[in-house]
Amino acid sequence: MPMRLHVFPPSPNAIEVLAAAHLLELPFETVRVDLFKGEQKGRAFTALNPNQKMPVLEDDGFVLWESNAILQYLATKRPERGLWPTDPRRQADVARWQFWQTAHWGPTCATYVFERVVKRLMALGPPNDAEVTRIMPEFQRYAGVLNGRLRDRPWVAGDALTVADVSLAAWMVYADEAGYPLDAYPEIARWYAALAALPGWQRALPSETPERSER
């Protein structure tokens, strides 16, 4: 029985696990959990993840939540692909950037995405420009860190693509739509363009937004 990935594809956290599975060419089934309809609060899903959040992986009786943990687990299934290194120091480096994504990059980008994308899709009113202005210095600080990291290397952890890139890049999917202020950070644009060109990444992107699917 193939793995199951319980996801809501418009979400960056869903995109990253789908991208990893496609990049690794793993067989899996997708189970859609519509967050806009509150399906994550249902009894069956809550039994899988008491936090009532997606994504969730099921693999032959093993249930795993937290997107970065799922990425690492998926990558161990195709060690020859190198998305999760075998060297302990390289593993620590990759994990460091995944933790950084969880603590800093993701939450900062999420403010832009919520105000300028999610609110529109859910008819929650206009963007709160004051909130976007408030978060901008923080975004610029972290974008500067990432841009500097990428200045002398093609990927975040060096010469090879890893799950650290997948974790961080999932938030770049909405960079244009959410209006990230990225003009001063060319290395981020170069890095994301290289990842976005990969067929496995393209297969993970939502083909339509919830707004379009209802028309």
Side-chain angles (χ1 to χ4, degrees), residues 64-76:
L64 184 64
W65 33 267
E66 293 299 323
S67 57
N68 283 328
I70 293 171
L71 291 192
Q72 293 181 11
Y73 178 76
L74 293 175
T76 63

Side-chain angles (χ1 to χ4, degrees), residues 80-110:
E80 71 279 4
R81 300 294 180 91
L83 265 66
W84 179 243
T86 56
D87 177 75
R89 291 189 177 185
R90 291 203 65 223
Q91 286 181 347
D93 187 31
V94 169
R96 177 250 302 274
W97 285 100
Q98 289 188 290
F99 294 150
W100 184 81
Q101 177 267 317
T102 299
H104 304 300
W105 181 246
T108 305
C109 293

Side-chain angles (χ1 to χ4, degrees), residues 93-94 96-98 100-101 104-106 108-109 138-158 162-172 175 180 182 184-193 195:
D93 187 31
V94 169
R96 177 250 302 274
W97 285 100
Q98 289 188 290
W100 184 81
Q101 177 267 317
H104 304 300
W105 181 246
T108 305
C109 293
E138 191 170 342
F139 179 90
Q140 291 174 332
R141 174 155 59 106
Y142 296 133
V145 171
L146 182 57
N147 195 75
R149 174 69 175 185
L150 292 166
R151 190 166 290 122
D152 59 354
R153 50 178 60 83
W155 304 105
V156 169
T162 68
V163 291
D165 299 287
V166 177
S167 296
L168 292 161
W171 288 97
M172 289 295 295
Y180 296 176
L182 285 169
Y185 311 104
E187 297 300 333
I188 294 178
R190 182 268 308 163
W191 158 77
Y192 180 64
L195 182 52

